[in-house]
Amino acid sequence: MLAAPLLISGTAFAQMDQNTSPGTDREKGLIEEIFKIEKKTDKFNLFLDMHGDFDAGWTGSKFDGGKFRFQQLRVEARGDINSWLSYRYRQRLNKGDTPNGYYDNVLGSIDIAGIGLNFNKWSLFLGKQCAAYGGIEFDLNPIEIYQYSDMVDYMSNFMTGVNVAYNPTPNQQIQFQVLNGLTSSSKEMYGDYTAAKLPLLYTLNWNGNFNDVYKTRWSASFMNETKGEHMWYFALGNDFNISEKFQMYFDWMYSIEGVDRKGIITDIVAPNGWNKKAAKTDIMSFVLHANYRFHPKWNLFGKFMYENEGVYKTNTMDVLDAAGNETPVELKAGKYRTALGYIGGIEYYPFKDRTLHFFATYVGRNYLYTAKAQAFGAKHQNTNSVQVGFIWHMPVF
């Protein structure tokens, strides 16, 4: 997440690259360098994405422990078959899967699997893909993220469908996307609501580039969650390339959910379980991030996140007590939680033309609950962690 915009600021559309343009990174792969094989085609590109670190964490003043871990480990293959046909496949290797039960009959560890069709100013991507939700942070390669905001952290964003993109100019792009809204069964995701007949997600996205100084990732989305209940989601991502050394972005995101798709409010008000998720919930998120590349190989970064999570319309919900019995409770409209996040650190890039970097970062989170949430037993919480590790989008071939 944090230094990537400095390194990819020359890419006009990250979403377009993510979905339809497989050959944007032309670095010598590991196999090429070891065996001195000269690559003469762009039909096959293979990458290994790694984010590994040592993480030491605290909850309040209590030390939880430390461990080595891989936050992200993905393999990716992509290529251009000819001038109009391309493909892309990416799978997460450190995510468990069951062989069946996914709504689109594709393992949840597979982020992207599909083909791209390119026709001058028009392009399509067919298959499993990333939702074109907008926002600068959301659009980055997941291995670059040290800590997402709650909005993105709780979001399901890899689904199957179709994306249609139109580039009226080389620096402006409009996307329209239709995807499956479910990633498992409706009952597993929402509980005992009546399932929607067409649980689909519709997204309209604008990606703009104004002389590589200001870039936009704006979107509006509508989803059929269950019968009669819908989600609206809006994202305004703004990237500012102020100078060669200083870059920042600001994301505003807002989600209005007929049924609590993310489950944040449900977890607060029903800690013992539920048969139906909470209804009429919303979350508003602000993310501000800045990079200062004081040396070609060194980058200082900082990020601040602020989120309000609550209920936009008073309603009644049945929650389970400790004995498993249903009890009706009133969810009053208003804010239930404020989530704060603050991240800072330093990164070192040893190679000029590779995305390998080493990092040391601090991640802090504060969760502040209002009286409405405290009535259900919620208590203020803060967590802190120090992480030291490496990130590499490694070209294998």
Side-chain angles (χ1 to χ4, degrees):
M1 172 187 71
L2 295 150
L6 285 171
L7 301 177
I8 63 172
S9 59
T11 303
F13 301 112
Q15 279 280 12
M16 180 177 66
D17 173 57
Q18 181 183 64
N19 290 330
T20 62
S21 182
T24 55
D25 297 317
R26 186 58 188 105
E27 303 172 0
K28 276 194 174 183
L30 185 64
I31 292 177
E32 292 178 80
E33 292 198 350
I34 292 177
F35 297 103
K36 306 301 181 184
I37 299 172
E38 185 179 354
K39 188 172 181 180
K40 297 183 181 298
T41 178
D42 202 34
K43 292 183 179 180
F44 180 70
N45 298 271
L46 183 64
F47 299 89
L48 182 63
D49 286 351
M50 296 180 285
H51 180 151
D53 63 27
F54 180 81
D55 184 293
W58 291 259
T59 300
S61 59
K62 179 184 176 182
F63 179 58
D64 297 323
K67 60 183 178 182
F68 293 99
R69 63 174 182 172
F70 266 96
Q71 287 204 59
Q72 302 283 343
L73 184 62
R74 284 176 164 89
V75 63
E76 178 178 348
R78 53 184 178 172
D80 293 319
I81 303 302
N82 52 38
S83 62
W84 59 269
L85 180 63
S86 62
Y87 68 91
R88 188 174 182 188
Y89 178 89
R90 190 175 79 188
Q91 183 169 4
R92 186 168 177 175
L93 303 179
N94 61 335
K95 179 177 182 178
D97 269 320
T98 54
N100 298 301
Y102 289 93
Y103 187 77
D104 57 4
N105 204 32
V106 179
L107 293 176
S109 63
I110 297 175
D111 294 342
I112 300 168
I115 63 171
L117 305 174
N118 302 286
F119 306 103
N120 197 9
K121 293 184 177 183
W122 292 89
S123 62
L124 293 88
F125 191 85
L126 313 175
K128 191 167 185 181
Q129 56 197 277
C130 184
Y133 278 139
I136 304 301
E137 175 179 275
F138 179 81
D139 204 46
L140 298 175
N141 189 323
I143 66 167
E144 300 287 347
I145 307 301
Y146 296 106
Q147 176 62 58
Y148 279 116
S149 62
D150 279 357
M151 178 72 83
V152 180
D153 219 6
Y154 286 82
M155 183 183 292
S156 53
N157 57 317
F158 295 110
M159 295 168 283
T160 300
V162 58
N163 180 298
V164 180
Y166 173 64
N167 292 65
T169 71
N171 292 324
Q172 303 292 322
Q173 182 188 66
I174 302 295
Q175 294 186 62
F176 178 68
Q177 192 179 50
V178 182
L179 303 176
N180 287 331
L182 298 180
T183 56
S184 60
S185 72
S186 178
K187 184 177 178 63
E188 289 175 324
M189 294 188 66
Y190 298 110
D192 294 331
Y193 289 90
T194 302
K197 294 294 185 181
L198 287 173
L200 298 176
L201 167 70
Y202 307 88
T203 293
L204 184 65
N205 174 282
W206 170 47
N207 296 322
N209 185 340
F210 300 89
N211 297 319
D212 288 333
V213 176
Y214 173 55
K215 300 178 184 178
T216 62
R217 303 284 184 271
W218 293 10
S219 71
S221 304
F222 173 81
M223 178 188 293
N224 290 315
E225 294 187 286
T226 61
K227 185 177 180 179
E229 299 293 350
H230 315 289
M231 181 188 82
W232 288 92
Y233 177 72
F234 305 94
L236 301 179
N238 305 275
D239 182 83
F240 304 92
N241 201 17
I242 298 170
S243 70
E244 291 185 2
K245 292 186 176 182
F246 187 71
Q247 179 271 343
M248 63 182 293
Y249 66 77
F250 175 73
D251 287 342
W252 173 83
M253 298 166 282
Y254 184 44
S255 180
I256 308 168
E257 302 175 8
V259 182
D260 184 21
R261 181 178 176 90
K262 296 176 182 61
I264 295 174
I265 300 301
T266 302
D267 289 344
I268 293 173
V269 302
N272 295 313
W274 45 272
N275 290 324
K276 285 185 175 181
K277 277 189 172 180
K280 314 303 181 186
T281 64
D282 63 355
I283 175 173
M284 184 176 292
S285 178
F286 303 87
V287 177
L288 178 64
H289 167 82
N291 291 308
Y292 177 54
R293 194 172 184 179
F294 62 91
H295 184 276
K297 292 187 176 183
W298 291 91
N299 181 58
L300 286 173
F301 58 85
K303 176 182 172 184
F304 177 72
M305 301 176 289
Y306 177 86
E307 297 174 279
N308 287 325
E309 301 154 355
V311 173
Y312 66 85
K313 183 179 180 181
T314 298
N315 65 93
T316 301
M317 174 188 180
D318 291 331
V319 304
L320 302 182
D321 60 22
N325 301 311
E326 284 191 344
T327 302
V329 297
E330 184 181 46
L331 302 186
K332 295 181 179 180
K335 182 169 66 174
Y336 280 61
R337 185 171 82 172
T338 295
L340 303 173
Y342 27 91
I343 302 171
I346 190 168
E347 296 167 320
Y348 173 68
Y349 292 78
F351 304 129
K352 182 179 179 180
D353 59 351
R354 294 189 188 276
T355 54
L356 169 67
H357 58 277
F358 301 93
F359 66 84
T361 184
Y362 163 77
V363 179
R365 302 301 305 272
N366 271 22
Y367 294 99
L368 307 176
Y369 295 89
T370 66
K372 293 182 179 66
Q374 292 177 21
F376 294 94
K379 297 180 180 179
H380 299 325
Q381 184 183 34
N382 68 82
T383 62
N384 304 274
S385 69
V386 176
Q387 303 168 10
V388 179
F390 71 94
I391 294 172
W392 196 6
H393 178 59
M394 185 179 78
V396 179
F397 186 71

